[in-house]
Amino acid sequence: MILFIFEGKDDEPRLYKTLKEIFHFELNEEEILHYYCSNIFSLCDTIKEYGVFDGSVNLINVLKEEATKHKEVKSDLDRIKYSYEVSEIFMFFDYDIHKQDEKNKLTIKQQNAKILELFNYFENESLDSERNGIKLYINYPMIESYRFFKKELPDEDFKNYTFDLMSKKSFKQIVNEESFYQNLKYLCFDMKKSGEIKNTEDEGRIEKIRQNWLILKELNIKKAHFICTNDYSIPDNKDTINQQIIFNKQIEKYVTSNHEVSVLNAFPLFWFEYIDEQKVLK
């Protein structure tokens, strides 16, 4: 089994399911989608509280326990009878750092430290086999980075788009005010109440969505490479733009120096890093 853990239950599954539908990729194993419905800092605090970091309890068991406490959490985790049935876990969360104020008691440095804890746990290849196969993907600053284009695609200015962490406006507000695209229709099919994709017979729209995904992929991969190496191109080696390197470079080049973050979406990077590799293996 392959487990996908999404921070939200709306945009993330719609993006993933459309990507899968448009490009006809099939995973080698059964997939399970789980919606955490809380942020990355809650995730870090929860798994630390349960003892996941020190090996006292399995991550999947924690997720099952937490899902029973929150009615808004939709979960198929009961389909997993034993943790060893899950070969890989992909987690998609927002960076969503906030300045310190009365509501948010943590400094930006402390918030980054929590995310780094997750990376150090999930990304360490020397850890035992139970912890391997967990991959954390981060949207900078939030999932809405998928449509932060100020003009119609291809928008090569995307390379330089950043978000001011000290802004009085939320990233969602800025996206709604400044983005050329005001919803997901340029990139996604609609969803049924059941959670299934509403495909369309409109071949023109299908092709347009397909082309937009290809452009989105290229722009985000090139930008990730630029963040990591200052080279705005498709990297020859995928490891050059792995998630922890991107995180470290975001802190070094943008967050620490200017209190900003470079806008980047995780789904094209997952596509580049994992799905393309699966096709090669087939």
Side-chain angles (χ1 to χ4, degrees), residues 3 17 32 56 67 82 100 116 123 145 150 167 177 187 200-201 211 227 249 253 257 266:
L3 173 61
K17 290 177 181 180
I32 294 175
S56 301
Y82 304 99
Q100 189 177 26
L116 186 59
E123 302 294 328
S145 55
K150 298 182 182 181
S167 173
E177 290 174 5
L187 199 63
T200 173
E201 300 301 321
Q211 290 303 317
I227 291 169
K249 287 297 183 179
K253 293 174 63 175
S257 58

Side-chain angles (χ1 to χ4, degrees), residues 153 181 186-187 208-216:
L153 293 175
Y181 300 101
Y186 85 104
L187 199 63
K208 185 62 176 178
I209 289 175
R210 181 177 182 278
Q211 290 303 317
N212 285 339
W213 267 108
L214 291 171
I215 294 170
L216 186 79

Side-chain angles (χ1 to χ4, degrees), residues 124-209:
N124 191 336
E125 293 180 357
S126 67
L127 293 173
D128 59 78
S129 59
E130 188 171 291
R131 304 185 202 180
N132 288 336
I134 303 176
K135 185 75 176 181
L136 173 63
Y137 285 89
I138 294 184
N139 296 297
Y140 297 92
M142 300 176 71
I143 183 62
E144 286 79 8
S145 55
Y146 65 75
R147 65 179 176 92
F148 192 53
F149 299 100
K150 298 182 182 181
K151 55 189 176 185
E152 189 173 12
L153 293 175
D155 181 359
E156 291 294 343
D157 291 335
F158 177 68
K159 169 189 173 184
N160 299 313
Y161 292 159
T162 60
F163 172 67
D164 181 1
L165 297 173
M166 299 294 108
S167 173
K168 292 181 180 180
K169 295 181 179 180
S170 70
F171 183 64
K172 287 183 181 180
Q173 285 178 291
I174 292 175
V175 169
N176 288 334
E177 290 174 5
E178 300 182 13
S179 177
F180 179 86
Y181 300 101
Q182 288 300 299
N183 54 54
L184 258 176
K185 291 185 179 296
Y186 85 104
L187 199 63
C188 287
F189 296 120
D190 295 329
M191 297 274 285
K192 300 177 183 177
K193 289 184 178 179
S194 64
E196 298 301 311
I197 286 288
K198 281 185 183 177
N199 208 333
T200 173
E201 300 301 321
D202 185 345
E203 293 295 333
R205 184 175 178 228
I206 292 173
E207 181 57 24
K208 185 62 176 178
I209 289 175

Side-chain angles (χ1 to χ4, degrees), residues 196-251:
E196 298 301 311
I197 286 288
K198 281 185 183 177
N199 208 333
T200 173
E201 300 301 321
D202 185 345
E203 293 295 333
R205 184 175 178 228
I206 292 173
E207 181 57 24
K208 185 62 176 178
I209 289 175
R210 181 177 182 278
Q211 290 303 317
N212 285 339
W213 267 108
L214 291 171
I215 294 170
L216 186 79
K217 179 185 181 184
E218 179 179 350
L219 291 177
N220 277 272
I221 292 169
K222 288 163 67 176
K223 185 169 185 178
H225 197 205
F226 175 74
I227 291 169
C228 294
T229 69
N230 291 322
D231 181 358
Y232 188 64
S233 66
I234 304 295
D236 295 326
N237 186 342
K238 295 180 182 181
D239 291 338
T240 305
I241 58 170
N242 75 43
Q243 288 293 302
Q244 187 157 1
I245 292 175
I246 292 172
F247 173 76
N248 292 337
K249 287 297 183 179
Q250 287 273 23
I251 305 304

